[in-house]
């Protein structure tokens, strides 16, 4: 859990910097520094590597430092404080629902409903596909199926929607839908041509999802055919069997 929290903190810091670059039109950390010098001059002190560390390392934990940036005499803090003044809308990224959805701590029904309201302004309904989870060879009306979103594949909104659907399935103990949405989320991070807002997550987040969410418990009372049907349903979506291990009462997914 500690490693998960640290990873989320790093992504938040990188996301804030990317939002600052987008808001100011800066091409990178050095260009952002130049814009701040033009705006605030001597109030900043000597150039420092604060924005480079934010981009490359996701450090420091900007969210924790925000309340005391204005009072901190350190040079790096002065730069970050003035950056928040210069690009105040960039801090909105900290309130995005995706960070809580990435947190493996269980989510209750009330909190998930609040996250639904807070996901994105003007949230759109993305396109998707219906994956039959019982009998991939046929589509009778009584077959169980899962709607998997396919829209905005290179944007953070699309990943947020996939994670939201996954956490919703988690609440209702629907392991078929849960794993489909998990794999959908990982597919979104596998592309080499992602928008900048997803590049900061990238392959690292793909491994993170596999580690934090890639295992579910299958009750011993479930018949073995139920597990096999789940494997077939996922295979119909991915074109290959994504599961590497099925043993006892556990269903475990091995990442690519």
């Amino acid at each position: 859990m500690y490693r998960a929290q640290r990873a989320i903190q790093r992504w938040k810091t990188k996301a804030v910097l990317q939002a600052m670059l987008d808001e100011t039109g800066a091409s990178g950390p050095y260009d952002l520094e130049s814009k701040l010098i033009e705006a605030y001059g001597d109030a900043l002190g000597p150039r420092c590597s604060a924005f480079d560390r934010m981009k490359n390392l996701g450090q420091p934990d900007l969210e924790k430092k925000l309340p005391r940036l204005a009072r901190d005499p350190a040079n790096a803090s002065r730069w970050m404080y003035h950056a928040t003044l210069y690009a105040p809308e960039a801090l909105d990224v900290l309130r995005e629902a995706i960070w809580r959805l990435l947190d493996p701590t269980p989510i209750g029904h009330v909190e998930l409903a609040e996250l639904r309201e807070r996901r994105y302004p003007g949230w759109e309904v993305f396109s998707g596909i219906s994956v039959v989870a019982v009998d991939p060879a046929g589509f009778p009306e009584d077959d169980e199926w899962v709607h998997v979103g396919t829209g905005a594949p290179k944007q953070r909104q699309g990943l947020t929607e996939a994670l939201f659907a996954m956490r919703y399935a988690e609440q209702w103990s629907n392991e078929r839908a849960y794993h489909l949405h998990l794999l959908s989320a990982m597919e979104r991070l596998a592309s080499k041509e992602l928008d900048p807002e997803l590049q900061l997550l990238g392959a690292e987040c793909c491994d993170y999802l596999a580690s934090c969410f890639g295992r579910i418990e299958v009750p011993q009372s479930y018949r073995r055919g139920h597990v096999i049907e789940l494997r077939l349903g996922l295979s119909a979506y991915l074109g290959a069997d994504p599961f590497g291990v099925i043993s006892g009462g556990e269903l475990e997914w091995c990442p690519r």
Side-chain angles (χ1 to χ4, degrees):
M1 187 62 67
Y2 173 76
R3 290 194 296 271
Q5 294 292 341
R6 292 286 294 169
I8 294 170
Q9 290 166 4
R10 289 195 298 272
W11 290 325
K12 281 184 177 181
T13 296
K14 291 183 177 183
V16 169
L17 176 64
Q18 183 59 51
M20 287 178 174
L21 299 179
D22 294 340
E23 185 175 345
T24 62
S27 59
Y30 187 85
D31 191 25
L32 177 58
E33 288 182 1
S34 300
K35 291 179 181 295
L36 292 176
I37 290 174
E38 183 178 349
Y40 300 107
D42 296 338
L44 296 169
R47 284 184 184 262
C48 64
S49 61
F51 300 126
D52 283 314
R53 285 187 285 116
M54 289 175 66
K55 178 180 180 180
N56 299 322
L57 303 175
Q59 296 177 354
D61 182 354
L62 183 61
E63 189 174 34
K64 284 187 177 180
K65 290 181 70 70
L66 279 176
R68 58 181 186 272
L69 278 180
R71 303 188 304 273
D72 192 337
N75 190 48
S77 295
R78 292 203 300 271
W79 280 88
M80 288 188 287
Y81 172 68
H82 285 87
T84 62
L85 297 180
Y86 193 68
E89 294 182 7
L91 296 179
D92 291 344
V93 74
L94 295 174
R95 292 185 284 274
E96 289 184 15
I98 190 172
W99 311 121
R100 180 60 184 96
L101 295 172
L102 283 169
D103 185 342
T105 305
I107 298 179
H109 289 279
V110 174
E111 184 180 9
L112 196 64
E114 294 173 349
L115 290 174
R116 178 189 292 276
E117 298 299 323
R118 168 158 73 88
R119 283 181 296 179
Y120 275 89
W123 188 262
E124 60 181 297
V125 178
F126 294 132
S127 58
I129 59 175
S130 295
V131 180
V132 176
V134 174
D135 181 11
F139 294 82
E141 291 183 0
D142 58 350
D143 271 349
E144 183 179 344
W145 58 275
V146 177
H147 181 81
V148 178
T150 57
K154 299 180 182 180
Q155 299 173 6
R156 201 154 63 229
Q157 295 98 317
L159 178 61
T160 302
E161 179 66 12
L163 293 173
F164 183 87
M166 182 189 76
R167 302 307 296 264
Y168 183 82
E170 175 188 9
Q171 284 192 342
W172 292 98
S173 300
N174 187 336
E175 77 278 1
R176 301 180 181 201
Y178 176 90
H179 267 98
L180 280 169
H181 294 305
L182 169 60
L183 294 171
S184 173
M186 297 182 72
E187 283 294 303
R188 294 173 184 276
L189 295 163
S191 173
K192 295 181 180 180
E193 298 179 356
L194 297 173
D195 288 348
E197 60 179 15
L198 269 191
Q199 285 178 358
L200 64 93
L201 299 173
E204 179 187 359
C205 188
C206 198
D207 294 338
Y208 171 91
L209 290 175
S211 175
C212 291
F213 298 102
R215 165 180 278 180
I216 57 173
E217 297 295 326
V218 177
Q220 292 284 358
S221 59
Y222 277 31
R223 57 187 175 85
R224 180 172 176 79
H226 182 72
V227 177
I228 294 175
E229 287 164 0
L230 172 59
R231 298 178 72 186
L232 290 174
L234 297 174
S235 299
Y237 173 51
L238 292 176
D241 182 357
F243 291 98
V245 179
I246 293 183
S247 60
E250 295 182 344
L251 182 64
E252 186 173 282
W253 179 69
C254 298
R256 290 175 298 188

